[in-house]
């Protein structure tokens, strides 16, 4: 076949047009198109990636070749990939035949479509490209920004749609592929990916990776740094900077028990090894479930193992998310709601019902606050589980709704028809949908069919309408009961009544009880009360990031100046968005606070990853 230039452009224009999501009720489609990807998998879809990359730590750039194996439908002329900010140099088909490609207009959120001309017999497409220093997924850290202060560090964060800023790919969670990679780094550093990983450095600084189970693009991950490894069991271990690795391995000593506990609940762990890397403090999330290698923030190293539910959460994603994947970001609650449910079940199994109920109670309070905030910001529609993110950044959907409204919905079904039935359902759900993507309608169909055929129970449409397609929190929301937190409530009431603290009771409190205490302090507090509270709980001097964050909200509200230096240091040195949001959000409520926030932000911004600056630039620049 011979393509003229004109026919190529016509083809591309046509395909670009079909990228626009159209809501045409009369057209039957098997799977609704992902509004956050330009790819057209019905024409040509990727099945395997071979990635060859040179990581230039000095210039903060990457030179790479991404070779994709593809499957195409008959007559398809184009392979369409997503890119953002990449420089595409050349594209070759199969055995080094150079081919033509075109880029669409730049969209500020989605980036560009890369349309590659393919032939009827094309099996492989090799894209030669480079990644600029400001790739949105990547944070490059100077030695000063690491614990060791000697070597640079880098890590990627691909979820939700940033994989396209370092690999040209079909960047939709509904498309899966296997991968292998050959990565070259300076030989003082170790490279790790969401794949099989080395446990020590080698002289050449060349590392080979394999991911044999098919994954979605948002789970592509790479990190490079001066990192050591410590095993926890035969199949699990901890990576971290050498000065952090012992502390981290101590904190996560129960990792193997968590994996075994998870397997006993919902079936075999499908990814062979489970390792975790503790990154430097600028990592923008608590954790990221990159398959075989969870990325985690050092802010969970509390020194008392009190914040390890985050590991249970990321581990649970090995089933909910990595195995059964949300088809689009509008269905994000299928990833996160199921994962929070699973996380609580792992914690209950390991540490008991009182512990998990305490966490559920904290979650419900957070959820109610999130709903009130969203309503206050005119975003009531984002309180539905099924989101509508067309034309928006999928990051807008990352709220407590997906996590905790999702959790309480699943818990409601568990409570209504019994745990045994729900566990059997989940086992089947993970088994039947393994290595597939599911949208919300697919989930509804699956669970209705399951309960009907297996239990002769018909789940009513109104249940799904109320929880998934309606705003707000339904009245049917389960009510966790926490005897531990009731004791904290009693201590709070006593203090409110007579100003006396109960140090003997508080001596037994864990991080979670303290958090409940801090979060439920009255709105109005005098300077004396703030000082007395600080003397009682030693909050300002705490090494626990959760406690600090909750406390600093009051510090800002009540202008408790004594804690400002510590708060400033915290904001400059921690990049975890969950902590930055409430603090900057509280600061901007007054003109002086806003100026102070801007001053801190100017110093802190160079330490933050793009997903954090993208959020706070809007608020503070
Ligand atoms: N997958 C998420 C993080 C994420 C979500 C990154 C959406 C980008 C877009 C991860 O599993 C997560 O939920 N992390 C939480 C952990 C918590 C709920 C235990 C976090 O980072 O705080
Ligand atoms: Zn999660």
């Amino acid at each position: 076949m011979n393509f003229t230039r004109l026919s190529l452009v016509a083809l591309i224009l046509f395909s670009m047009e079909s990228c626009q999501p159209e809501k045409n009720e009369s057209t039957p489609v098997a799977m609704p198109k992902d509004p956050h990807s330009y790819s057209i998998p019905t024409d040509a879809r990727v099945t395997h990636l071979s990635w060859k990359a040179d990581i230039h730590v000095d210039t903060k750039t990457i030179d790479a070749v991404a070779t994709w194996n593809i499957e195409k439908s008959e007559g398809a002329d184009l392979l369409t990939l997503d890119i953002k900010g990449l420089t595409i140099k050349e594209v070759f088909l199969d055995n080094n035949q150079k081919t033509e490609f075109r880029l669409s207009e730049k969209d500020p959120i989605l980036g560009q479509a890369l349309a590659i001309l393919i032939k009827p017999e094309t099996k492989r497409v090799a894209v030669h490209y480079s990644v600029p220093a400001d790739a949105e997924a990547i944070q490059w850290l100077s030695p000063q920004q690491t614990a060791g202060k000697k070597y640079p560090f880098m890590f990627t964060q691909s979820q939700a749609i940033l994989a396209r800023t370092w690999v040209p790919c079909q960047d939709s969670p509904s498309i899966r592929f296997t991968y292998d990679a050959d990565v070259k780094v300076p030989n003082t550093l170790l490279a790790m990916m969401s794949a099989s990983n080395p446990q020590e450095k080698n002289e050449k600084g060349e590392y080979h990776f394999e991911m044999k189970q098919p994954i979605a693009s948002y789970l592509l991950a790479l990190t490079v740094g001066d990192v050591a490894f410590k095993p926890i069991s035969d199949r699990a271990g901890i990576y971290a900077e050498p000065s952090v690795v012992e502390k981290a391995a101590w904190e996560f000593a129960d990792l193997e028990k968590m994996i075994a506990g998870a397997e006993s609940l919902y079936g075999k762990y499908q990814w062979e090894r489970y390792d975790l890397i503790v990154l430097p403090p600028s990592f923008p999330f608590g954790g990221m479930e990159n398959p075989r290698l969870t990325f985690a923030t050092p802010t969970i190293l509390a020194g008392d193992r009190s914040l390890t539910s985050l590991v249970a959460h990321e581990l649970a994603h090995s089933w909910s998310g990595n195995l059964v994947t949300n088809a689009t970001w509008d269905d994000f609650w299928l990833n996160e709601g199921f994962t929070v449910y699973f996380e609580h079940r792992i914690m209950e199994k390991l540490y008991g019902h009182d512990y998990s109920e305490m966490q559920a109670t904290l979650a419900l309070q957070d959820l109610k606050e999130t709903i009130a905030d969203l309503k206050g910001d005119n975003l009531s529609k984002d309180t539905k589980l099924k989101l509508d993110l067309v034309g928006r950044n999928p990051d807008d959907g990352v709220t407590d709704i997906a996590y905790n409204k999702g959790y309480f919905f699943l818990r409601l079904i568990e409570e209504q028809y019994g745990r045994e039935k729900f566990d059997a359902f989940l086992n089947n759900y993970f088994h039947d949908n393994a290595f597939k993507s599911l949208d919300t309608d697919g989930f509804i169909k699956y669970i209705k069919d399951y309960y009907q055929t297996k239990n002769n129970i018909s789940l009513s449409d109104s249940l799904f309408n109320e929880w998934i397609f309606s705003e707000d929190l339904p009245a049917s929301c389960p009510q966790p009961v926490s005897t531990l937190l009731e004791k904290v409530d009693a201590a709070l009431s006593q203090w409110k009544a007579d100003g006396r603290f109960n140090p003997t009771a508080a001596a037994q409190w864990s991080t979670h009880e303290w958090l409940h205490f801090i979060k439920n302090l009255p709105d109005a507090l005098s300077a004396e009360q703030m000082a007395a509270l600080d003397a009682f709980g030693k909050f300002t001097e705490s090494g626990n990031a959760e406690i600090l964050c909750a406390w600093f909200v009051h510090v800002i509200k009540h202008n408790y100046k004594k804690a400002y230096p510590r708060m400033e240091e915290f904001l400059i040195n921690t990049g975890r968005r969950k902590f930055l949001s409430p603090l900057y959000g509280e600061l901007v409520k007054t003109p002086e606070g806003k100026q102070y926030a801007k001053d801190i932000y100017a110093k802190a911004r160079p330490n933050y990853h793009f997903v954090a600056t993208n959020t706070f630039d809007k608020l503070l620049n």
Side-chain angles (χ1 to χ4, degrees):
M1 227 186 290
N2 203 358
F3 288 95
T4 65
R5 212 184 132 77
L6 196 68
S7 68
L8 172 62
V9 174
L11 271 170
I12 292 170
L13 285 177
F14 172 75
S15 61
M16 296 298 101
E17 223 164 76
S18 67
C19 289
Q20 298 313 314
E22 239 177 61
K23 284 193 177 156
N24 184 348
E25 305 298 336
S26 63
T27 335
V29 274
M31 176 67 92
K33 199 175 148 16
D34 179 351
H36 294 105
S37 171
Y38 289 110
S39 58
I40 310 165
T42 44
D43 283 358
R45 86 160 52 221
V46 299
T47 58
H48 181 85
L49 166 68
S50 285
W51 194 60
K52 305 236 175 312
D54 248 332
I55 315 296
H56 308 297
V57 176
D58 46 348
T59 55
K60 304 178 178 173
T61 57
I62 299 175
D63 281 308
V65 182
T67 304
W68 288 102
N69 292 9
I70 63 165
E71 266 172 25
K72 55 189 284 297
S73 61
E74 228 183 86
D77 303 306
L78 294 173
L79 169 70
T80 313
L81 304 176
D82 295 288
I83 66 161
K84 195 176 187 193
L86 303 178
T87 302
I88 306 298
K89 297 175 183 162
E90 289 180 303
V91 184
F92 297 92
L93 304 182
D94 296 312
N95 301 315
N96 290 325
Q97 313 157 42
K98 200 164 164 172
T99 190
E100 286 191 61
F101 62 89
R102 291 287 181 277
L103 298 172
S104 68
E105 294 277 295
K106 285 184 184 165
D107 179 274
I109 296 170
L110 303 181
Q112 291 169 288
L114 164 61
I116 298 165
L117 195 59
I118 54 175
K119 297 191 171 163
E121 67 277 13
T122 302
K123 295 249 169 348
R124 279 160 75 90
V125 178
V127 184
H128 294 235
Y129 69 102
S130 63
V131 184
D134 61 355
E136 292 175 0
I138 304 179
Q139 190 171 14
W140 300 91
L141 298 173
S142 67
Q144 212 42 44
Q145 292 166 304
T146 67
K149 314 280 178 213
K150 259 175 88 178
Y151 298 100
F153 208 105
M154 75 82 92
F155 61 83
T156 63
Q157 168 57 43
S158 296
Q159 195 181 11
I161 55 168
L162 299 179
R164 65 189 68 177
T165 72
W166 64 288
V167 182
C169 60
Q170 294 192 320
D171 201 6
S172 166
S174 63
I175 300 171
R176 309 179 90 87
F177 54 89
T178 51
Y179 79 85
D180 64 80
D182 288 289
V183 176
K184 184 158 175 33
V185 298
N187 69 358
T188 49
L189 306 177
L190 186 67
M192 290 141 284
M193 295 191 79
S194 49
S196 59
N197 273 304
Q199 293 181 349
E200 53 186 39
K201 293 172 199 165
N202 65 45
E203 286 207 339
K204 286 188 162 163
E206 290 175 6
Y207 299 94
H208 180 73
F209 302 90
E210 307 257 353
M211 171 42 77
K212 294 204 162 104
Q213 292 85 347
I215 61 162
S217 57
Y218 76 93
L219 297 171
L220 279 172
L222 169 70
T223 177
V224 178
D226 176 27
V227 163
F229 174 78
K230 197 163 166 39
I232 300 276
S233 69
D234 285 350
R235 57 164 167 179
I238 306 296
Y239 293 88
E241 286 191 66
S243 67
V244 179
V245 75
E246 291 294 332
K247 183 177 187 201
W250 183 88
E251 201 86 27
F252 308 130
D254 281 349
L255 185 53
E256 174 56 38
K257 282 191 203 131
M258 283 188 177
I259 305 170
E263 287 188 309
S264 75
L265 283 164
Y266 300 126
K268 191 176 173 305
Y269 179 73
Q270 301 270 16
W271 308 86
E272 301 165 49
R273 286 197 62 87
Y274 181 88
D275 295 311
L276 178 148
I277 180 165
V278 177
L279 293 169
S282 66
F283 185 59
F285 294 103
M288 176 64 214
E289 66 272 27
N290 296 316
R292 294 180 73 125
L293 184 64
T294 284
F295 285 14
T297 169
T299 62
I300 51 171
L301 301 177
D304 59 4
R305 299 182 179 158
S306 65
L307 300 178
T308 56
S309 62
L310 184 133
V311 177
H313 179 97
E314 303 313 333
L315 171 66
H317 272 305
S318 307
W319 287 259
S320 42
N322 300 2
L323 202 56
V324 182
T325 309
N326 52 206
T328 76
W329 300 113
D330 287 347
D331 309 299
F332 182 54
W333 80 275
L334 291 179
N335 272 19
E336 297 299 343
F338 276 74
T339 297
V340 172
Y341 178 85
F342 196 165
E343 166 199 337
H344 286 307
R345 292 295 302 277
I346 295 172
M347 295 311 276
E348 178 184 329
K349 196 168 195 71
L350 264 67
Y351 309 110
H353 188 65
D354 284 353
Y355 189 91
S356 57
E357 276 305 88
M358 182 163 67
Q359 298 217 292
T361 306
L362 290 165
L364 185 57
Q365 183 177 356
D366 288 348
L367 174 60
K368 287 178 177 166
E369 284 166 16
T370 297
I371 291 176
D373 290 348
L374 286 169
K375 283 176 162 174
D377 293 342
N378 258 326
L379 290 169
S380 297
K381 71 171 184 143
D382 289 347
T383 66
K384 297 178 188 180
L385 283 179
K386 174 78 184 184
L387 297 167
D388 180 6
L389 296 167
V390 173
R392 299 166 70 191
N393 192 324
D395 223 35
D396 293 356
V398 185
T399 75
D400 243 9
I401 300 299
Y403 289 80
N404 288 329
K405 188 177 176 184
Y407 162 70
F408 282 108
F409 173 46
L410 297 175
R411 177 168 164 160
L412 174 68
I413 303 174
E414 180 215 305
E415 286 183 1
Q416 248 170 20
Y417 304 102
R419 177 169 278 193
E420 212 179 309
K421 289 190 179 65
F422 194 67
D423 281 351
F425 155 72
L426 276 181
N427 262 290
N428 279 274
Y429 174 77
F430 291 133
H431 178 268
D432 292 349
N433 299 297
F435 300 108
K436 290 185 191 146
S437 299
L438 212 63
D439 66 3
T440 299
D441 287 341
F443 155 75
I444 295 173
K445 183 173 176 344
Y446 185 89
I447 193 170
K448 284 182 83 162
D449 286 353
Y450 179 90
Y451 269 79
Q452 192 65 60
T453 36
K454 293 280 166 53
N455 303 316
N456 205 15
I457 291 170
S458 68
L459 299 175
S460 73
D461 288 332
S462 62
L463 173 75
F464 299 103
N465 285 333
E466 189 187 21
W467 275 87
I468 297 178
F469 303 107
S470 305
E471 296 174 2
D472 227 322
L473 190 62
S476 57
C477 184
Q479 298 299 319
V481 178
S482 169
T483 44
L484 294 169
L485 294 184
E486 278 166 4
K487 290 185 190 152
V488 178
D489 288 331
L492 264 168
S493 305
Q494 186 197 327
W495 176 70
K496 284 180 199 165
D498 61 14
R500 285 192 301 125
F501 294 111
N502 186 342
T504 344
Q508 310 298 320
W509 289 356
S510 71
T511 301
H512 312 288
E513 280 123 327
W514 280 113
L515 282 175
H516 185 71
F517 179 84
I518 299 170
K519 288 186 179 174
N520 289 283
L521 287 168
D523 277 340
L525 290 168
S526 67
E528 293 73 38
Q529 284 175 315
M530 283 295 290
L533 283 164
D534 203 5
F536 171 54
K538 307 208 168 30
F539 303 130
T540 305
E541 53 193 88
S542 171
N544 184 309
E546 295 277 355
I547 302 264
L548 285 172
C549 179
W551 171 241
F552 290 150
V553 172
H554 294 285
V555 164
I556 299 165
K557 274 190 184 146
H558 305 297
N559 216 0
Y560 179 62
K561 281 275 159 23
K562 190 185 154 213
Y564 273 43
R566 180 77 183 94
M567 180 169 72
E568 186 169 329
E569 179 196 285
F570 181 77
L571 284 167
I572 290 172
N573 293 308
T574 314
R576 187 174 171 190
R577 198 168 62 173
K578 173 186 158 187
F579 296 141
L580 305 180
S581 290
L583 300 181
Y584 284 122
E586 196 59 46
L587 279 168
V588 299
K589 286 181 181 168
T590 65
E592 318 82 73
K594 186 158 190 176
Q595 191 48 55
Y596 183 53
K598 285 186 171 187
D599 294 344
I600 298 176
Y601 189 59
K603 293 184 232 172
R605 196 179 183 282
N607 289 339
Y608 296 161
H609 184 277
F610 167 81
V611 302
T613 57
N614 195 38
T615 302
F616 302 114
D617 281 354
K618 288 171 207 150
L619 190 72
L620 295 166
N621 265 354

